[in-house]
Amino acid sequence: MVNGPVVHGMDRTLGSRQLAALLSAVPHADGRPGYRALADGVRRLLLDGWIALHVRLPAERELASALTVSRATVTAAYDLLREDGFARSRRGAGTWTELPAGHRPANVASFPADDGVIDLAIAAPGAPEAELAAAFAEAGVLLARRASTPGYHPYGIPELRAAVAERFTRRGLPTLPDQILITNGAQQALSLTLGLLGRPGDRILVENPSYPNALDAMRRVGLRTTPVPVTAEGWDPGLIDCALRQAAPRLAYLIPDFHNPTGHLMPLEQRLAVLESARATGTWLVIDETMTDIALDVPGVAPFASLAPRGMSEQVVTVGSLSKTHWGGLRLGWVRAGSRLITELATARVPTDMGGSVLDQLVALGLLARTDEVLRERLPRLRAQRDALADSLARHLPDWRWQLPPGGLTLWIDLGRPIASSLARAALAQGLRIEGGSRFGADPGTHEHRLRFPYTLPSDVLDEAVRRLMTALDSGLTAAGAEAGRPHWVA
């Protein structure tokens, strides 16, 4: 089974069997010559991020054997890739992946501010303006007092570590500042944790679907994913237990609070069952709490780690951030773990950035102090936008199905047929950027019948987005993969 894109920095050669397995997941149009289909498959994999740039493709004879085709077919396909600018050859060194001018690989694109484009690839709200302004004014005064210091804080500034620790304690998990590492967003928190606890080839249990940037971080470390499904009914603890015991993954990454993208909330008894299974197998649990405070129809949720039995609490690592509750522009996150692990994580982050911005951390300190005010305004607005989106979908696209989530920021819509990728391409032509379900799959080609629809924009904008989807459907959909190179940028 294919576990994910070939993005490992240390592995610069793509094996013939690995490429054959990736190509097997790419649909081919009937009637095309074999070499053109092969070249098109490699091109799609490259543009969708499943093959990294500047890696050496398999030797022609080896790939021909793995695909059970003639060597002439592979030679012609490589010639076509070179002609179109997707490969280059060096005498005696082989053929390497390349991109022609004007193309970008998936997952690294940045979006210009297109007038009239509704961007639903980003499931995050804008900043609370009044609270942000007040926190920034306070931060300016505090920053001036620190001007005479070097300003390097690999662990994070002490006041912010204490504030985050107090936040965990208030939610039911006693925490000391020494158990907190401040990071540049939850993504850095996760990347540091995976890099420290995992090694290339280690297995990691993941939900399917899951958060795409987390999956990409795992692949970059070289971890092999062991997917367990999150269905319309949520998690199956029996399947998680079976996967933990049979695959013996070193780590497990879970989003139990308003899961991204499904919005599910893991029940208490299932949390306890997961903890027991992880205790029995010695698996590190990496818990993503970035959505925890977006509780729309239920009370606030206690930290997952607060349920851990005595002796197991340090086996649970929690990552979180301000991106979904306050503002992603601050790039402010944290890790909550045992103090020894926090020290190791801080040591690991020094070679990359030596610590976060002191100004951003001071602003975050002020925003954390105003969390109650922010959520008091934000949660009712998100609830109203969620309900308005559901009403618009029911009126305009009654054949689609979804479950109203008790929290989080997105609907996980069942389209009834595998058209998500082609619908997303057609929607982009209508000025709507949205991501199909396959972007959230732990395995390629899965969840093509699903669409993630955030409700973080005003209700009238969401209604217009639904209308643009209707227009995209009426315009006709291209075959899956027919327009490779559409940029993917998900949050």
Side-chain angles (χ1 to χ4, degrees):
M1 179 167 295
V2 181
N3 282 317
V6 184
V7 294
H8 317 320
M10 299 301 293
D11 183 7
R12 307 311 300 171
T13 299
L14 183 60
S16 58
R17 292 184 180 179
Q18 193 174 17
L19 179 54
L22 288 167
L23 287 166
S24 68
V26 179
H28 300 293
D30 295 334
R32 287 183 298 168
Y35 75 93
R36 290 189 180 276
L38 175 55
D40 185 59
V42 173
R43 185 184 301 112
R44 294 181 195 177
L45 291 169
L46 178 61
L47 286 170
D48 284 341
W50 293 99
I51 297 177
L53 284 176
H54 314 308
V55 298
R56 186 169 56 193
L57 292 169
E60 294 173 3
R61 189 184 304 277
E62 293 176 1
L63 184 57
S65 176
L67 294 174
T68 319
V69 299
S70 70
R71 182 177 178 180
T73 297
V74 178
T75 300
Y78 281 9
D79 287 343
L80 188 57
L81 288 169
R82 283 189 289 268
E83 178 183 330
D84 292 342
F86 288 92
R88 57 182 172 82
S89 294
R90 287 166 27 201
R91 185 179 299 276
T95 301
W96 299 69
T97 56
E98 189 62 87
L99 279 182
H103 283 76
R104 292 177 181 265
N107 311 331
V108 296
S110 59
F111 292 132
D114 298 330
D115 291 338
V117 174
I118 300 174
D119 193 347
L120 292 177
I122 307 298
E129 295 183 9
E131 290 80 3
L132 179 63
F136 196 89
E138 292 175 359
V141 175
L142 296 173
L143 185 66
R145 299 173 186 169
R146 294 173 175 267
S148 60
T149 71
Y152 293 105
H153 296 276
Y155 289 91
I157 62 173
E159 302 95 322
L160 185 55
R161 296 178 75 196
V164 174
E166 195 275 332
R167 178 180 181 272
F168 275 105
T169 300
R170 192 170 62 252
R171 293 175 55 221
L173 179 61
T175 302
L176 298 173
D178 285 351
Q179 294 175 286
I180 300 296
L181 175 72
I182 303 300
T183 61
N184 294 319
Q187 190 66 24
Q188 186 189 43
L190 178 61
S191 296
L192 286 170
T193 302
L194 295 177
L196 181 65
L197 298 180
R199 295 292 182 270
D202 284 348
R203 288 196 174 276
I204 180 169
L205 182 143
V206 298
E207 298 149 328
N208 192 18
S210 188
Y211 182 52
N213 295 332
L215 295 172
D216 289 343
M218 297 168 199
R219 292 158 182 157
R220 185 165 294 278
V221 175
L223 300 176
R224 295 183 295 161
T225 56
T226 298
V228 293
V230 179
T231 67
E233 288 71 40
W235 295 262
D236 185 329
L239 288 179
I240 294 177
D241 180 75
C242 182
L244 287 173
R245 294 180 186 274
Q246 291 186 0
R250 178 167 173 78
L251 304 99
Y253 169 76
L254 301 173
I255 313 173
D257 302 340
F258 316 121
H259 175 263
N260 188 359
T262 68
H264 288 313
L265 177 64
M266 185 181 287
L268 173 62
E269 61 274 15
Q270 293 186 4
R271 295 172 186 242
L272 294 173
V274 169
L275 282 164
E276 175 57 29
S277 297
R279 185 198 61 77
T281 58
T283 303
W284 285 93
L285 291 179
V286 182
I287 304 300
D288 188 333
E289 284 195 347
T290 54
M291 293 286 185
T292 294
D293 286 330
I294 312 298
L296 302 181
D297 297 332
V298 293
V301 184
F304 193 99
S306 67
L307 303 173
R310 182 180 298 274
M312 190 197 168
S313 60
E314 293 198 359
Q315 198 175 320
V316 183
V317 180
T318 304
V319 301
S321 81
L322 294 183
S323 295
K324 307 301 184 182
T325 52
H326 296 73
W327 189 39
L330 279 180
R331 306 310 310 133
L332 198 292
W334 52 81
V335 182
R336 193 272 181 195
S339 56
R340 179 175 177 178
L341 183 62
I342 290 297
T343 297
E344 294 176 353
L345 288 168
T347 302
R349 70 102 50 101
V350 168
T352 59
D353 66 359
M354 301 185 68
S357 161
V358 172
L359 176 58
D360 285 359
Q361 292 180 69
L362 291 172
V363 173
L365 185 64
L367 281 177
L368 270 180
R370 294 171 171 83
T371 296
D372 290 344
E373 299 96 291
V374 171
L375 294 179
R376 191 177 300 119
E377 183 279 332
R378 178 151 290 180
L379 295 184
R381 177 162 49 83
L382 287 171
R383 189 181 302 115
Q385 290 170 188
R386 179 201 61 182
D387 295 345
L389 172 60
D391 179 68
S392 180
L393 287 167
R395 284 185 287 109
H396 298 302
L397 295 162
D399 293 335
W400 290 3
R401 296 289 179 264
W402 63 89
Q403 292 182 343
L404 209 63
L409 298 171
T410 62
L411 296 185
W412 184 237
I413 299 172
D414 186 348
L415 306 177
R417 51 193 177 121
I419 59 170
S421 292
S422 51
L423 176 59
R425 286 191 297 273
L428 191 58
Q430 302 300 325
L432 172 64
R433 184 175 291 113
I434 195 167
E435 284 297 335
S438 62
R439 183 69 181 91
F440 302 85
D443 291 316
T446 58
H447 306 295
E448 261 297 303
H449 63 298
R450 291 281 188 174
L451 195 71
R452 190 189 75 161
F453 205 133
Y455 40 82
T456 50
L457 297 178
S459 298
D460 59 332
V461 179
L462 295 173
D463 187 67
E464 174 61 22
V466 173
R467 294 175 184 274
R468 294 186 187 187
L469 277 176
M470 292 175 58
T471 303
L473 280 170
D474 292 340
S475 68
L477 305 180
T478 58
E483 188 187 29
R486 187 177 70 85
H488 297 268
W489 180 261
V490 182

